[in-house]
Amino acid sequence: MSDITQRLIHLAVVLAIAVTLRFVLILLIRRTVRILLSRESEGSTDLGVRAQSILAKAGGLSVERQRQRVTTLGSLLRNVVDVVIIAVTLLTVLAIFGIPMAPLLASAGVGGVALGFGAQSLVKDYLSGIFMLAEDQFGVGDLITIGDTRGTVLEVSLRVTKLRDPMGTVWYVRNGEILTVGNVSQGFSAVFVDVPVAIDEDPEKVTQVLRAAVSGMQEEPAWAEVLLEEPSVVGVDSMSGGTMVMNIALKTGPNQQWGVMRAVRQRAQRALGEAGIRGPILYPAPPQ
């Protein structure tokens, strides 16, 4: 058997192994993605049935968001498998045909070092993007705070995260520059509503009036799919000047607290007025 025939046989074997290995790895990745998607859809929390329903409808626990995240990671893994197998196969084929690889590897090493120095920030961005997707730090539709920028996530890629702030400005933030992220839309939202009254009013009476005002809100159709718990009147938060501030605690689905806060303030204002409880005492300014 001639030397060229042996080399062609070796080439065929290498290509067959490469194709088979790629097929097995891609099949394994796809199967893993399917398993992760099925587990995400069957997940549950320790909260009640109503709370689970509210959270399931929210962006933080959206099945669609989990599907996009897992699918993106699966696509990334498939690309990595393709690049690695092609590189190893190419080097093996060159070795079979006796092409000297030392100059090629040396040139690639020098070029890789130069490229590495020039693309450090790009590599950092991509690695940060991979970890952010894997850890599900935030997703499209979440309200997040990155440094001094606060806005709704429009797009998450491996290199850049795109936000839109309340003024409508679109911000492009490199993933490698994100050090701290605050996600308002993940899990649930817990807030306090401040209700100021006159400092000489009876705190117990004010508490009873406020409790009656917010009682039963969780059972109302308008708020049944928003509130995770019944609003709770915590009590006196602070006293200064002629003002006593009462606190009402709310726990809602992620980023769903704004409408409930407005409704609670309206109910509190109406109930306090009907009960004859005065607002904060405004003392006159001292004469100049």
Side-chain angles (χ1 to χ4, degrees):
M1 184 180 297
S2 64
D3 182 62
I4 187 65
T5 303
Q6 291 182 350
R7 292 184 177 182
L8 290 176
I9 293 175
H10 291 165
L11 175 62
V13 171
V14 169
L15 293 178
I17 293 175
V19 172
T20 303
L21 182 60
R22 181 186 182 278
F23 175 79
V24 172
L25 292 177
I26 296 299
L27 184 64
L28 180 61
I29 291 173
R30 289 177 177 172
R31 182 176 180 83
T32 304
V33 168
R34 286 197 298 268
I35 293 175
L36 290 176
L37 290 176
S38 63
R39 287 181 179 177
E40 294 291 354
S41 61
E42 296 173 358
S44 62
T45 66
D46 295 332
L47 300 174
V49 176
R50 172 180 292 183
Q52 289 185 31
S53 175
I54 295 173
L55 292 176
K57 293 179 181 179
L61 296 180
S62 170
V63 175
E64 179 63 19
R65 166 176 162 178
Q66 302 291 355
R67 185 193 67 80
Q68 293 177 354
R69 180 171 64 93
V70 174
T71 303
T72 301
L73 291 175
S75 176
L76 175 65
L77 290 176
R78 288 194 293 270
N79 292 336
V80 171
V81 167
D82 288 340
V83 171
V84 172
I85 289 180
I86 290 174
V88 174
T89 303
L90 180 61
L91 293 176
T92 305
V93 169
L94 292 177
I96 290 175
F97 285 94
I99 298 176
M101 291 185 295
L104 180 63
L105 292 178
S107 301
V110 174
V113 171
L115 183 62
F117 279 113
Q120 285 184 13
S121 60
L122 185 62
V123 173
K124 182 180 178 182
D125 293 340
Y126 274 94
L127 289 177
S128 298
I130 292 172
F131 283 113
M132 285 193 315
L133 287 172
E135 296 169 0
D136 193 24
Q137 296 179 9
F138 52 82
V140 175
D142 284 359
L143 178 62
I144 65 174
T145 301
I146 300 177
D148 296 331
T149 305
R150 182 183 180 92
T152 302
V153 179
L154 300 179
E155 182 181 344
V156 182
S157 65
L158 292 179
R159 192 180 70 86
V160 172
T161 295
K162 184 161 63 174
L163 307 175
R164 184 183 297 277
D165 67 15
M167 302 302 295
T169 304
V170 177
W171 296 85
Y172 295 85
V173 184
R174 286 173 39 208
N175 293 333
E177 299 299 321
I178 299 177
L179 301 180
T180 305
V181 179
N183 194 333
V184 180
S185 304
Q186 201 169 56
F188 59 87
S189 295
V191 294
F192 289 98
V193 176
D194 294 335
V195 180
V197 298
I199 196 170
D200 57 357
E201 293 288 349
D202 183 3
E204 294 185 0
K205 179 182 178 181
V206 177
T207 300
Q208 292 176 359
V209 171
L210 293 178
R211 283 176 179 168
V214 300
S215 177
M217 284 190 67
Q218 193 180 20
E219 304 302 326
E220 297 179 5
W223 309 117
E225 297 298 322
V226 176
L227 284 168
L228 299 180
E229 297 176 357
E230 191 73 16
S232 173
V233 181
V234 179
V236 180
D237 177 66
S238 63
M239 293 183 295
S240 62
T243 303
M244 176 173 61
V245 178
M246 307 293 292
N247 266 168
I248 302 177
L250 303 175
K251 189 173 183 179
T252 71
N255 203 27
Q256 295 181 321
Q257 71 273 25
W258 312 109
V260 186
M261 293 173 67
R262 289 190 290 269
V264 167
R265 291 191 184 99
Q266 292 175 0
R267 289 169 179 251
Q269 175 66 20
R270 187 183 306 115
L272 293 175
E274 293 174 354
I277 296 176
R278 296 169 299 142
I281 300 174
L282 300 178
Y283 294 104
Q288 298 293 333

